Amino acid sequence: MSSIRGRLLAILLLATGVIWLSAALWTQVSTRAQVIQVLDRRLEESARMVASLIREGGLSVDQAAQAARMERADADGFHLLHQLSCQIWGLDGTLISESAGAPEGRLSEAGNGFSENEVDGELWRVFTLADPELDFRVMVGDAQAMRDQLVRNVTLGQLAPTALMLPLLAALIWLTVGRGLRSLDRLGAALSNRPASDLGPLDEAPAPRELRPMIAALNGLLRRVDAARDRERSFTAFAAHELKTPLAGLQTQAEIARMAPDTATRTRALVQIEQGVKRTDRMVKQLLAMTAVEHPPGAASGAPQDGAALLQAVADDLAPLAGRLGVSLQVSAPPGLWSTAETTLLQTALRNLVENALQASPRGETVSAALSLEGAGAVFEIRDRGPGISDAERPHVTERFFRGAGATTSGSGLGLAIVATAAARMGGSLHLSPREGGGECARLILPR
Amino acid sequence: MRILIVEDDAVLGDGLSVGLRLSGFSPELVETCADARHAIAMEGFEAVVLDLMLPDGSGLELLRELRQSGSDMPVLMLTARDGLDDRVTGLDAGADDYLGKPFELPELSARLRALTRRAQGRAENLLHWNGLALDTARMSGRRGPEEIAFSRREYTVLAALMERPGSILSKATLEERLYGWQEDIESNTVEVHVHHLRAKLGSGFIQTVRGAGYRLAPEAAT
């Protein structure tokens, strides 16, 4: 059952029912025992009283037989007691007298004491008291049905109010639980009425204590989603703005190509357009890479791969670029040194570092890329002989869209930001420092 | 009309430079705030086209600096951020106009003409001297009923002279107006263009000041 209210109601009703039934059984058993005890004593007392009345004086046997009933009736005023019957038999087996309403048959065939007999189709409990001197036998009995009735009445009298309470209890539970759950309904309504843009916290104050942890958790989630969305939005806005500049360049160059007075000007504009398209394309690729390193498709996916092999693969990919730039690329990475499952993040980071180094290097120089182990980390070191990063720009180079004064035309301003983000994702860090003898040394340090 | 372009994007910077030159302006391109400061300090530009985000600082900072130093040079902000807040911030910082990227060259040219026109207190795109009205938007002249067409370079030389009537412009200055700082200059071209202008406007319209350069002849008394 998926309804809290229904389940609660069922459990409560079941529990109450079980308790009620147990109480009923227990009452019945204990009442029966007490009733037997009390009524048996009454039978015995009545018999002795009748016997003594006859023995000690005055009263005729008839009166005495009636007295057994009257005396008890006066004492208890109990309407069922009229079923108490008395018979006085002679020892020779003749009926001397009996009370009004006594059955036709002889109440008991037994001697002295208690017995149970079927008389005229009814079960009776009888106490017999024989008086051999005066030659009579007093039998006082009551019908078993009366006794059962008595027990039933007592039990019912005790349990009927409880039975009546049950629907009331159910109604109360239903209402109270409903009332408690109304806060959930309110919460649901508050959430479903919200526009997607509203990620403000939910009000905790009016909610019952039990709901507050959930609201707090929801608010925490809302905060995180809000922050993520803000980051995303600012990134998208930034990206859109960044793309507007190359677009403006394309637009302007296209207009120049259209209005160019001579072929040379037009050709030049077309070359510029090609460069602009290349730069825009690279920027879009870098934006996608940035998004990819920021939102990797789940944790480390796939089997671990050798770090040296990954570095070599990046170097192989970039070999054509190195060739075009006239820069040689030297990889020194012993296989089997270190491996990682974060292959995509690592390759993206390495590709950006090596590409940066290649593009910064003057023709004829060498870029070296090495993998080594140092203490607790695996270190990828990419070194170039480019102009290096100026001290003024050093603190900003890993900011998104930062482009230094000497930025190449194809730079997106995202490369080092991507590396830094990817490094952080992998639990590592990026360190940039001037290289001895000129150039830049980039160290990507990852946990072993 | 000398325009300083401060734009770090190579393709756009080149486009602005070439495009404005084709539209009859004499643009110079710099890519950083530092270079822009030097250029502004050195030479009287008539307007600045300023990108907002530059590699060594914000165009806004440069603009505030410029205004604090007391310069009233017309500045047109060129930026990818053209939201209301950005425009307000830019204009409040002292920009005279604002153009969002991407834009069309004719609009940029028109806005630059409007800025300089306003700075010079003129109502129309016309420069007047000795009966000649030079239309800076159409790069053509009119004298009485006669329409005079000029080549772009002829127009550039003539406009440079007519912007400051009476002052002498050296051959080097005029070459700079024609080609900017970075380009190779073909020799004798200023003489060639002045020769063509004299043929169209009359030999006395432009005077040669020996050893100094060229100037417009004084206005004839009417």
Side-chain angles (χ1 to χ4, degrees):
Chain A
M1 195 187 294
S2 61
S3 156
I4 292 180
R5 187 191 256 188
R7 196 182 312 180
L8 203 54
L9 196 65
I11 288 173
L12 279 164
L13 286 183
L14 196 68
T16 318
V18 167
I19 291 170
W20 184 76
L21 274 178
S22 320
L25 277 175
W26 187 81
T27 313
Q28 183 129 14
V29 169
S30 83
T31 310
R32 182 176 298 278
Q34 282 174 19
V35 163
I36 289 172
Q37 207 184 356
V38 170
L39 293 187
D40 280 0
R41 195 176 306 134
R42 189 186 64 164
L43 288 183
E44 195 180 342
E45 279 171 9
S46 302
R48 290 190 193 289
M49 184 194 71
V50 170
S52 72
L53 283 175
I54 296 168
R55 255 197 314 267
E56 285 161 22
L59 232 62
S60 75
V61 175
D62 281 351
Q63 285 169 318
Q66 295 304 330
R69 275 187 70 219
M70 299 309 294
E71 192 267 339
R72 298 315 301 185
D74 286 347
D76 296 336
F78 199 56
H79 71 281
L80 286 170
L81 290 188
H82 74 273
Q83 287 185 14
L84 195 69
S85 299
C86 182
Q87 289 177 340
I88 300 169
W89 292 78
L91 284 182
D92 55 358
T94 53
L95 181 62
I96 301 169
S97 176
E98 63 177 354
S99 63
E104 294 286 303
R106 185 181 164 108
L107 275 171
S108 173
E109 299 298 336
N112 283 339
F114 288 103
S115 60
E116 270 161 32
N117 311 296
E118 202 174 308
V119 184
D120 299 349
E122 226 182 330
L123 194 64
W124 287 78
R125 181 150 173 99
V126 182
F127 186 79
T128 311
L129 184 68
D131 191 331
E133 290 169 32
L134 293 178
D135 187 26
F136 67 88
R137 184 176 276 158
V138 176
M139 296 175 192
V140 181
D142 47 25
Q144 189 65 46
M146 183 276 291
R147 292 191 166 203
D148 291 345
Q149 179 70 37
L150 194 60
V151 171
R152 211 164 28 246
N153 284 355
V154 171
T155 310
L156 278 180
Q158 187 175 346
L159 295 182
T162 318
L164 286 175
M165 275 295 290
L166 215 54
L168 193 65
L169 190 65
L172 272 175
I173 290 167
W174 187 260
L175 285 176
T176 314
V177 172
R179 209 182 170 76
L181 292 180
R182 204 173 307 152
S183 333
L184 265 183
D185 290 344
R186 266 200 303 273
L187 190 64
L191 280 175
S192 57
N193 286 338
R194 267 182 184 221
S197 56
D198 182 5
L199 288 179
L202 294 159
D203 195 4
E204 262 180 68
R209 194 151 38 85
E210 288 79 359
L211 277 184
R212 280 185 209 157
M214 193 188 79
I215 295 181
L218 262 179
N219 282 342
L221 177 65
L222 285 173
R223 258 197 312 280
R224 289 195 295 281
V225 170
D226 197 26
R229 202 177 57 174
D230 271 359
R231 271 203 306 282
E232 207 104 310
R233 191 185 290 153
S234 69
F235 181 70
T236 312
F238 228 95
H241 287 138
E242 282 299 308
L243 283 171
K244 278 183 166 185
T245 298
L247 281 181
L250 290 176
Q251 162 95 28
T252 314
Q253 295 289 356
E255 285 176 64
I256 291 169
R258 190 157 40 81
M259 69 196 237
D262 50 69
T263 322
T265 310
R266 185 174 306 120
T267 310
R268 195 168 169 284
L270 291 175
V271 169
Q272 292 281 338
I273 287 175
E274 279 176 46
Q275 281 181 11
V277 169
K278 273 188 200 137
R279 169 158 143 61
T280 315
D281 175 53
R282 181 170 154 73
M283 176 154 238
V284 170
K285 281 191 183 127
Q286 290 288 69
L287 284 171
L288 291 175
M290 187 84 208
T291 315
V293 297
E294 279 199 327
H295 306 280
S301 45
Q305 289 185 34
D306 187 33
L310 290 171
L311 178 58
Q312 190 58 54
V314 168
D316 292 347
D317 268 5
L318 291 173
L321 175 69
R324 272 203 303 282
L325 293 169
V327 179
S328 56
L329 178 55
Q330 202 174 60
V331 178
S332 78
L337 200 58
W338 177 79
S339 56
T340 179
E342 303 274 18
T343 51
T344 313
L345 282 174
L346 180 62
Q347 277 191 309
T348 306
L350 289 176
R351 169 184 301 275
N352 275 285
L353 283 178
V354 175
E355 209 173 325
N356 273 358
L358 288 174
Q359 264 160 353
S361 295
R363 191 167 277 274
E365 286 291 350
T366 301
V367 165
S368 69
L371 167 64
S372 60
L373 293 182
E374 275 181 32
V379 181
F380 288 92
E381 194 170 69
I382 319 291
R383 300 188 296 173
D384 65 56
R385 287 285 183 206
I389 299 169
S390 76
D391 289 341
E393 292 176 355
R394 195 170 288 283
H396 303 292
V397 287
T398 55
E399 290 170 11
R400 289 165 169 185
F401 302 115
F402 178 85
R403 298 180 65 221
T408 55
T409 46
S410 65
S412 65
L414 276 173
L416 289 174
I418 290 172
V419 178
T421 310
R425 282 270 163 189
M426 291 183 280
S429 54
L430 170 68
H431 302 271
L432 296 164
S433 54
R435 181 184 179 188
E436 231 171 274
E440 192 70 17
C441 171
R443 287 162 64 87
L444 177 65
I445 304 181
L446 300 172
R448 279 170 83 167
Chain B
M1 212 183 303
R2 296 200 75 205
I3 308 288
L4 180 66
I5 301 165
V6 191
E7 169 60 62
D8 65 316
D9 183 85
V11 175
L12 178 56
D14 176 84
L16 285 171
S17 190
V18 175
L20 287 181
R21 193 172 298 285
L22 288 177
S23 309
F25 295 92
S26 302
E28 299 292 350
L29 174 66
V30 293
E31 294 182 356
T32 62
C33 288
D35 289 350
R37 274 185 206 104
H38 287 138
I40 291 167
M42 253 172 61
E43 290 269 359
F45 287 94
E46 274 164 272
V48 179
V49 175
L50 182 63
D51 187 19
L52 193 69
M53 280 195 291
L54 294 164
D56 59 343
S58 155
L60 275 181
E61 280 309 306
L62 184 67
L63 180 56
R64 287 200 185 96
E65 231 173 79
L66 189 67
R67 291 299 180 238
Q68 272 161 20
S69 74
S71 167
D72 61 352
M73 188 184 308
V75 172
L76 186 146
M77 292 287 283
L78 205 58
T79 173
R81 301 182 166 272
D82 55 353
L84 179 64
D85 287 350
D86 299 310
R87 287 197 302 256
V88 169
T89 311
L91 293 173
D92 279 347
D96 297 274
D97 203 353
Y98 214 94
L99 198 55
K101 296 174 185 174
F103 50 85
E104 297 192 21
L105 268 177
E107 182 177 4
L108 177 65
S109 305
R111 282 174 184 266
L112 282 175
R113 277 193 296 272
L115 281 184
T116 47
R117 206 169 61 215
R118 223 174 293 149
Q120 293 163 8
R122 287 182 289 119
E124 343 156 86
N125 289 321
L126 291 175
L127 297 169
H128 294 277
W129 192 256
N130 256 345
L132 174 72
L134 184 66
D135 187 329
T136 57
R138 292 165 53 216
M139 291 194 270
S140 66
R142 174 175 287 276
R143 189 156 53 184
E146 180 196 5
E147 185 88 26
I148 307 168
F150 300 106
S151 79
R152 181 171 59 82
R153 294 201 166 118
E154 287 163 12
Y155 163 82
T156 305
V157 171
L158 183 58
L161 290 166
M162 284 185 72
E163 278 160 18
R164 290 180 194 75
S167 52
I168 301 167
L169 298 186
S170 70
K171 186 176 163 232
T173 305
L174 287 175
E175 278 170 348
E176 211 173 85
R177 295 290 297 262
L178 279 173
Y179 298 104
W181 293 333
Q182 281 118 25
E183 287 173 58
D184 293 331
I185 295 159
E186 304 157 42
S187 58
N188 287 334
T189 53
V190 173
E191 283 93 331
V192 171
H193 296 312
V194 169
H195 178 75
H196 288 156
L197 283 171
R198 280 179 176 149
K200 288 179 180 175
L201 299 169
S203 56
F205 197 84
I206 299 172
Q207 298 179 332
T208 306
V209 183
R210 210 168 293 273
Y214 300 93
R215 73 172 176 210
L216 297 181
E219 282 203 291
T222 45

